[in-house]
Amino acid sequence: MGDSLKGRAALVTGSTSGIGLAMARALAGEGCSVMLNGLGDPGECEKIRADLAAETGAEIGYHPADMSKPAEIRDAVAKTVEAFGGLNILVNNAGIQHVAPIDAFPEEKWDAIIAINLSAAFHAIKAALPHLRKAGWGRIVNTASAHGLVASVNKSAYVAAKHGIMGLTKATAIETAEEPITCNAINPGWVRTPLVEAQIRARAEEKGVSVEDEAIALLSEKQPSKKFTTPEQLAGILLFLCSPAADQITGVPMVADGGWTSQ
Ligand code: NAD
């Protein structure tokens, strides 16, 4: 990356765990100031912040915004600008999952998934755009999913939200196309984070098989490579999207799914 991210400022939502934390680590490793965000015990979040600052030497902040609350999302953007003197990179990554057939899908889970996995990105992009424009260089990256391109059974809210974020990615890309701002999606297949571990454990328990056997079964069903995508690989794609080589890439899915959506 050379020095191209040194002195830039980023907000990564849902970055106290999994993919978001790897993305924050990669940006900080390039000398970018990073505002972390995510739910969790305040002491644990502070430890994640302090560890990342010590590990990378970058300026690291933490904002506790709940991504289902638009006013808190706006505050996270404002506090990032206040802390770092501007904003260049917005990664909309926070996400949750709930698995159930439509006729048994709890309404409150639908509302929460649409709010956190889709509407939060709209609120964050709306609040961030004036700052990206002011800075004269901006990157918006939305963590979508293979489920932004194809469906799976019993994941109606997640699939709807992830397809929605693909639409929002394209709409943002064409509204900013003439500016030094791009907006893209990263579409992972299975990544073994706490979000997926919960699904593996639930399925293993239901079938009465071991967690490791069920992890292999999960991969075999969908991901032809039969390997999990790693958070570090996704962080690498984020860095690429922030590099000059990606200046003309906007509005597209960067798919890292081991062949899932090629079938
Ligand atoms: P994770 O559970 O490890 O991390 C999710 C993060 O989002 C955590 O930091 C959590 O605190 C945060 N979060 C959840 N609800 C929030 C809220 N209301 N407000 C603020 N933060 C909140 O999960 P992950 O697998 O790293 O998921 C990150 C993103 O990647 C999600 O958008 C997910 O849909 C997407 N994704 C994951 C996979 C996978 O296989 N793990 C595949 C495709 C896409």
Side-chain angles (χ1 to χ4, degrees), residues 2 30 38 48 61-62 75 98 111 127 144 162 164 175 193 207 219 240 244:
E30 295 295 328
I48 293 167
Y62 166 76
D75 191 60
H98 186 78
D111 290 343
K162 294 298 185 182
E175 283 191 29
T193 63
K207 290 193 199 165
L219 284 172
F240 167 67

Side-chain angles (χ1 to χ4, degrees), residues 150 206 225:
V150 295
E206 203 181 296
S225 66

Side-chain angles (χ1 to χ4, degrees), residues 28-63:
E30 295 295 328
C32 190
S33 304
V34 181
M35 184 65 80
L36 299 172
N37 157 261
L39 303 179
D41 171 74
E44 274 168 32
C45 294
E46 170 51 23
K47 183 173 175 345
I48 293 167
R49 189 207 65 74
D51 287 351
L52 193 58
E55 180 188 323
T56 60
E59 245 188 303
I60 310 291
Y62 166 76
H63 193 288

